[in-house]
Amino acid sequence: MKSVQWFHWFIILTLFVLPSSIAKINEFRGHTREICKYRKGKLLQPFTEHRRRLFAVREQMQIHASLEGPEIHAYILPSYDEHLNYEVAPSDQRLQYLTGFTGTKAFAAITQKGAALWVESRYLQQADGELDCDWELFRVNDSITIADWLDDQLHPDKRVGADPHLVPHYLWMKWENQLKDKFLALTKINNNLIDLIWGEERPETLNITIQVWERSYAGEKWEDKILELRQKLYYHKCDAMIVTSLTEIAYLLNVRGRDIPYTPVVKSYLIVSHQDIFFYVDRLKMTLGLNWHLRTDCFNEMCVKIKEYHQVWSDMRTYSQIWKRVLVPARCVQEPGASEAIFSAFPLKIIYEHISPVILMRAQKNSVEQDGMRTAHVRDGAAICEAISNLEMRFFTEQWTEEKIKFEVERSRLSQNHAKGLSMRTVVAYGEHSSYPYYISSNVTDVEVTDQSFLVIESGGQYYEGTTDVSRTFLFGQPTPEMKQSYTMVLAGILRLAHLKFPSNLRLSEVDALVRSPIWESMSDYPQATGHGIGSYNAVEERKYYSIYVNI
């Protein structure tokens, strides 16, 4: 009788516990890999180059234990570079080299038995097609965090390594606390493991000379900007500031470069104190004209001293013994602030963590910059009109895809006078893709464009006069009632914002609600940002202290 009762309770427990256990296992497997379904039940996988690199990283994790200290049981790799840019130079595309994923804003986590990648929703389909089946796939900001996944992969008291140069300070602290709650330790690994296996295959850094952005376009001398920044340092009672954002350095010194895609900046660091200006950059990029522009041949407080790029790390340790208070940029809306490595280079007692004063300086465009932005948009408007005119004339006589339209838009834009390149990855989204926030087409996701649905094009260009970001929606057939309603509601929100007069103390969250209210009336919403600042021949997304943003 007892055995019958025991069996009865065993069946009941199995019915309740087993489904929850299976659900938890499936939860940590992430997004269903459509491309990997054919691999089910097969023990062996094709030995690809990216799979070899994954094995090499795991080997480096073990080598680190024997040569440099405690063993690393997991490794986190962001897609950032040392300046926390989203778009990075070929020599800094570490995550792409390891995984094959060509998108941005992604994070990889690797253990000896598992590998996972976190991407934004817009890149989910693309990542599924580009990754080997070794990789699990998750959405950024989904319920499963990196810490959750590592907790499922590792036993307690294990070490998780990451390169502090590639991780924002705020994110490092977040990971550290999350992992601590899982009884895991986050460890700084200064020698990047990807660099160790990349070796001679790693692309050379670009040695393109730095360009002076003339005052006729900038509207203000760099000396005046430095004086204004020093006044703000006086206000904050700081002896110096370390500037790590490449767009802020380009703005302050009136210089432009081609070191990363889509944004005309120079890979460098800048330290501004009340007595000195130190510009840390590859000297091969310097020219006589730039030396004259920055007044490098004099020795007063308004002369820029040129130093080698990597010398900034030794200088921070040296001057931290002199300075009593140093402003280190903090996170601001979407600006990530400084890296964990920068924060670690200064003694904690002298760090003044604050939003970079350059953000507000840069956001307030002078009259010359305003005129330049209008001129840039006139040039850009001509390019868009040319591209869409060609598309309209040939739409029903040729087969068009997202990638083909993207080529047409980029060709028209780059043919304009004073065009210096694109300001962003061109978005051409058709049908279902047009509903994805910031969808990026690729060979993996490319679809044919017909007259049955919306076509959304978001693109921009860089010109001497300014930077552009243009979004347009097209329909080459007959719209449905639902299409008409969606288009009209969005247009109504834009018109409300365009005609709005508001007091200076109005919160931008209230402006955001005003724009969305017509869309809310139709019981709809959109997850992405309502708007952002735009640079002057600089970053296409230029953040301010407050911006109209929502969580994605």
Side-chain angles (χ1 to χ4, degrees):
M1 183 68 182
K2 289 183 179 180
S3 61
V4 173
Q5 289 178 339
W6 179 88
F7 182 74
H8 176 72
W9 283 108
F10 175 77
I11 295 297
I12 293 175
L13 288 172
T14 301
L15 290 174
F16 281 95
V17 174
L18 186 60
S20 62
S21 301
I22 293 174
K24 184 178 180 181
I25 292 171
N26 289 332
E27 182 184 25
F28 284 98
R29 284 178 181 167
H31 174 73
T32 302
R33 298 291 308 280
E34 297 294 335
I35 200 170
C36 297
K37 284 183 177 179
Y38 76 97
R39 297 293 321 158
K40 277 189 175 181
K42 297 182 180 181
L43 296 176
L44 299 178
Q45 295 189 32
F47 198 83
T48 64
E49 185 63 27
H50 292 294
R51 196 165 188 233
R52 180 192 67 78
R53 293 167 186 171
L54 181 59
F55 289 163
V57 170
R58 288 170 175 160
E59 184 180 1
Q60 285 296 329
M61 289 163 59
Q62 294 176 334
I63 292 173
H64 182 275
S66 61
L67 296 181
E68 297 190 26
E71 183 178 358
I72 304 168
H73 304 91
Y75 190 67
I76 302 176
L77 177 67
S79 59
Y80 294 122
D81 63 5
E82 291 85 345
H83 300 272
L84 309 181
N85 294 301
Y86 299 135
E87 296 286 353
V88 300
S91 58
D92 292 321
Q93 291 173 353
R94 298 176 176 91
L95 188 137
Q96 180 177 333
Y97 171 79
L98 175 65
T99 67
F101 174 63
T102 57
T104 61
K105 302 182 185 178
F107 300 87
I110 306 146
T111 64
Q112 290 296 340
K113 294 183 179 179
L117 184 72
W118 281 258
V119 300
E120 294 182 327
S121 296
R122 58 173 169 160
Y123 286 121
L124 203 61
Q125 185 182 0
Q126 177 182 334
D128 185 30
E130 291 179 336
L131 295 176
D132 283 346
C133 294
D134 293 288
W135 291 86
E136 297 175 59
L137 194 55
F138 297 90
R139 291 183 179 91
V140 172
N141 293 337
D142 215 342
S143 57
I144 302 301
T145 66
I146 295 177
D148 292 331
W149 185 83
L150 290 173
D151 180 45
D152 183 63
Q153 290 277 318
L154 302 174
H155 295 295
D157 297 324
K158 301 299 182 183
R159 293 180 178 84
V160 179
D163 186 346
H165 299 83
L166 308 183
V167 182
H169 173 67
Y170 84 89
L171 187 57
W172 184 278
M173 300 303 294
K174 179 181 177 181
W175 285 350
E176 194 170 54
N177 292 330
Q178 288 178 342
L179 291 171
K180 187 177 180 180
D181 291 340
K182 311 289 185 183
F183 301 101
L184 301 171
L186 186 59
T187 305
K188 295 175 183 176
I189 309 297
N190 290 309
N191 291 329
N192 192 283
L193 301 189
I194 306 303
D195 294 348
L196 296 176
I197 68 171
W198 208 340
E200 295 180 355
E201 298 178 7
R202 187 176 184 181
E204 295 288 335
T205 56
L206 299 175
N207 284 325
I208 301 174
T209 55
I210 302 170
Q211 170 193 358
V212 175
W213 199 43
E214 300 293 343
R215 188 181 175 186
S216 57
Y217 296 118
E220 188 177 4
K221 295 191 297 183
W222 68 264
E223 292 94 338
D224 295 334
K225 297 177 182 179
I226 293 293
L227 287 174
E228 183 179 353
L229 177 58
R230 282 174 170 163
Q231 289 176 355
K232 295 181 182 299
L233 293 180
Y234 270 120
Y235 175 80
H236 292 295
K237 300 178 181 178
C238 289
D239 300 310
M241 173 186 176
I242 171 76
V243 186
T244 62
S245 167
L246 302 187
T247 56
E248 292 180 20
I249 294 172
Y251 164 80
L252 280 174
L253 298 183
N254 286 351
V255 296
R256 299 294 186 268
R258 293 171 56 188
D259 285 359
I260 66 172
Y262 308 114
T263 306
V265 293
V266 182
K267 197 169 181 182
S268 55
Y269 291 98
L270 185 70
I271 290 180
V272 179
S273 71
H274 297 295
Q275 295 78 32
D276 298 295
I277 308 167
F278 297 120
F279 186 33
Y280 299 88
V281 68
D282 187 346
R283 289 182 183 272
L284 294 176
K285 299 175 183 178
M286 300 293 294
T287 62
L288 290 175
L290 184 64
N291 283 321
W292 180 83
H293 169 71
L294 297 177
R295 302 172 60 187
T296 61
D297 59 346
C298 60
F299 300 96
N300 59 49
E301 68 279 359
M302 292 308 298
C303 302
V304 178
K305 298 177 179 65
I306 308 298
K307 297 196 173 188
E308 286 295 340
Y309 178 74
H310 292 290
Q311 195 176 341
V312 66
W313 301 103
S314 60
D315 277 9
M316 281 191 290
R317 288 190 292 270
T318 300
Y319 285 100
S320 63
Q321 301 176 38
I322 302 172
W323 297 326
K324 296 180 180 179
R325 187 175 167 98
V326 179
L327 194 153
V328 180
R331 184 190 182 192
C332 169
V333 190
Q334 295 295 310
E335 288 284 358
S339 69
E340 173 62 20
I342 294 290
F343 273 82
S344 301
F346 291 107
L348 184 61
K349 63 180 181 180
I350 72 168
I351 291 178
Y352 175 60
E353 186 179 358
H354 192 270
I355 296 167
S356 171
V358 185
I359 295 176
L360 188 59
M361 292 168 55
R362 186 183 57 185
Q364 300 176 81
K365 303 294 186 290
N366 58 51
S367 59
V368 174
E369 289 176 312
Q370 292 175 26
D371 291 340
M373 293 181 75
R374 296 186 186 97
T375 302
H377 277 84
V378 169
R379 298 185 191 277
D380 206 65
I384 292 295
C385 288
E386 179 186 2
I388 299 307
S389 176
N390 290 336
L391 174 62
E392 192 173 28
M393 287 189 297
R394 296 153 45 196
F395 188 80
F396 294 102
T397 59
E398 298 180 25
Q399 184 181 34
W400 290 88
T401 66
E402 291 173 335
E403 286 290 284
K404 185 176 178 180
I405 295 174
K406 180 195 292 187
F407 174 81
E408 189 72 27
V409 171
E410 292 177 355
R411 182 198 60 79
S412 296
R413 178 170 275 113
L414 295 176
S415 66
Q416 295 298 309
N417 291 334
H418 289 196
K420 299 299 293 181
L422 305 176
S423 64
M424 57 187 291
R425 298 190 185 202
T426 303
V427 174
V428 179
Y430 173 74
E432 180 184 352
H433 292 164
S434 65
S435 65
Y436 298 163
Y438 309 117
Y439 161 84
I440 301 292
S441 66
S442 67
N443 292 332
V444 175
T445 64
D446 196 21
V447 295
E448 183 180 0
V449 176
T450 68
D451 59 354
Q452 298 301 306
S453 187
F454 279 133
L455 173 70
V456 175
I457 301 177
E458 182 178 6
S459 58
Q462 295 284 6
Y463 302 87
Y464 280 129
E465 295 88 354
T467 303
T468 65
D469 180 358
V470 181
S471 298
R472 294 292 181 268
T473 303
F474 301 94
L475 180 66
F476 296 96
Q478 291 298 318
T480 64
E482 184 183 6
M483 290 179 178
K484 291 180 180 178
Q485 183 188 37
S486 298
Y487 190 96
T488 303
M489 293 299 98
V490 172
L491 178 60
I494 292 173
L495 291 175
R496 283 191 179 187
L497 181 61
H499 293 90
L500 180 65
K501 291 183 179 180
F502 54 91
S504 58
N505 62 348
L506 181 68
R507 294 179 180 272
L508 289 187
S509 59
E510 297 169 351
V511 177
D512 181 63
L514 184 68
V515 176
R516 292 176 189 268
S517 59
I519 300 166
W520 290 340
E521 289 175 6
S522 62
M523 301 301 291
S524 301
D525 200 1
Y526 53 91
Q528 67 269 37
T530 296
H532 57 79
I534 299 179
S536 293
Y537 189 29
N538 208 326
V540 69
E541 291 191 8
E542 193 173 87
R543 317 297 182 176
K544 291 176 281 204
Y545 275 112
Y546 306 101
S547 192
I548 308 176
Y549 273 92
V550 294
N551 291 325
I552 296 178

